[in-house]
């Protein structure tokens, strides 16, 4: 899942980026409000972590701009402003969650996972399931019929994205946009190769090809 991290404190941004990447996210960063507005409008993100005290444009203005221009990915505000009026302004601008500094870095990843589950599945369940295929995003583990599945890093990211979109047809472009950072531009064939490798590990019938459209993760039909 691809995350936009908007934070002007370089040390904090780098430590959060490392933690979120370790938690399985692809992380792009922006350090000021103008850059955040631009990449938030032009790139595809599953969620954003947004500081309020930014140079150029403050976080509330950034968030309001995203929402007014149809960008509805979940946004977690991360800020040192703890007053009720600041929280109210954040939620009124379109925030989905609000975390004040100081905080445990691990809590950012936990809250993002919860936002993504609710956003894609309408549920706060900690483990995602499609038939007997299960994904625990907190512990970064896949299992099939209660047996662990060994996946490479890129296979893991693609299957995790599909697990958040069960039953939906996902294009190759969407997969590339949501599992690779913006400085990488993989060709469509690499996505097909990775899908093929995932199929061999979980069963080809679990990922259907919609000709000319993309791929759909589904539970195999019962015998």
């Amino acid at each position: 899942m691809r995350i936009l991290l908007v934070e002007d404190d370089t040390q904090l941004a780098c430590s959060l980026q490392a933690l979120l990447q370790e938690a399985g996210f692809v992380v792009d960063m922006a350090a000021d409000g103008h850059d955040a507005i631009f990449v938030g409008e032009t790139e595809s993100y599953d969620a954003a972590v947004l500081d309020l005290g930014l140079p150029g444009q403050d976080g509330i203005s950034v968030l309001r701009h995203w929402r007014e221009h149809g960008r509805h990915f979940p946004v977690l505000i991360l800020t040192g402003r703890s007053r009720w009026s600041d929280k109210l302004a954040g939620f009124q601008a379109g925030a989905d969650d609000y975390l004040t500094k100081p905080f445990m870095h691990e809590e950012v990843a936990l809250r993002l996972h919860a936002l993504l589950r609710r956003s894609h599945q309408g549920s706060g369940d900690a483990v995602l399931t499609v038939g007997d295929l299960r994904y625990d995003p907190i512990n970064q583990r896949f299992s099939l019929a209660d047996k662990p599945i060994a996946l490479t890093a890129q296979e893991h990211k693609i299957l995790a994205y599909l697990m958040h979109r069960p039953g939906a047809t996902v294009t190759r472009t969407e997969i590339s946009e949501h599992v690779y950072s913006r400085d990488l531009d993989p060709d469509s064939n690499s996505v097909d190769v990775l899908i093929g490798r995932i199929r061999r590990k979980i069963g080809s019938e679990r990922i259907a090809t919609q000709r000319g459209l993309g791929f759909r993760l589904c539970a195999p039909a019962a015998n």
Side-chain angles (χ1 to χ4, degrees):
M1 307 299 280
R2 192 176 174 199
I3 305 299
L4 174 59
L5 172 59
V6 186
E7 171 60 63
D8 65 324
D9 182 326
T10 303
Q11 184 175 355
L12 176 59
C14 289
S15 64
L16 280 174
Q17 182 186 39
L19 178 138
L20 292 174
Q21 288 174 335
E22 191 174 312
F25 296 106
V26 175
V27 184
D28 292 343
M29 293 200 294
D32 65 72
H34 294 305
D35 190 28
I37 285 175
F38 176 75
V39 295
E41 270 197 271
T42 58
E43 301 288 336
S44 295
Y45 293 106
D46 296 290
V49 178
L50 177 65
D51 187 19
L52 293 185
L54 298 169
Q57 291 260 23
D58 66 272
I60 294 296
S61 298
V62 171
L63 179 52
R64 190 175 291 119
H65 182 96
W66 286 343
R67 296 311 192 219
E68 289 173 352
H69 288 76
R71 307 301 283 173
H72 298 302
F73 45 78
V75 173
L76 167 62
I77 286 180
L78 194 64
T79 181
R81 303 178 187 178
S82 59
R83 295 178 303 178
W84 167 245
S85 58
D86 292 315
K87 293 183 179 181
L88 180 61
F91 284 115
Q92 287 179 333
D96 298 274
D97 200 356
Y98 196 106
L99 183 60
T100 56
K101 304 172 185 177
F103 55 87
M104 294 290 290
H105 280 32
E106 292 78 6
E107 187 175 358
V108 178
L110 291 173
R111 292 196 184 216
L112 281 173
H113 282 306
L115 287 175
L116 289 166
R117 288 195 303 270
R118 292 197 296 269
S119 173
H120 289 291
Q121 289 202 323
S123 168
D125 292 343
V127 177
L128 307 180
T129 61
V130 179
D132 57 353
L133 179 63
R134 295 166 59 86
Y135 176 51
D136 179 351
I138 305 300
N139 295 300
Q140 295 287 289
R141 293 173 184 163
F142 282 98
S143 63
L144 181 62
D146 295 325
K147 295 181 180 178
I149 307 170
L151 299 167
T152 66
Q154 286 306 114
E155 291 168 1
H156 185 114
K157 290 174 183 175
I158 289 175
L159 187 53
Y161 182 64
L162 294 176
M163 287 292 289
H164 282 87
R165 307 269 322 267
T169 299
V170 180
T171 68
R172 291 170 178 82
T173 299
E174 284 181 277
I175 291 173
S176 295
E177 288 177 341
H178 288 268
V179 303
Y180 294 96
S181 58
R182 57 175 162 157
D183 56 344
L184 293 176
D185 186 21
D187 59 56
S188 61
N189 185 60
S190 66
V191 173
D192 287 81
V193 170
L194 288 164
I195 290 288
R197 284 166 29 185
I198 295 169
R199 280 176 167 148
R200 288 193 288 274
K201 294 179 180 183
I202 68 172
S204 59
E205 73 282 359
R206 296 174 189 273
I207 302 180
T209 298
Q210 305 295 113
R211 191 170 298 278
L213 296 174
F215 306 98
R216 180 169 53 86
L217 181 66
C218 52
N223 294 328

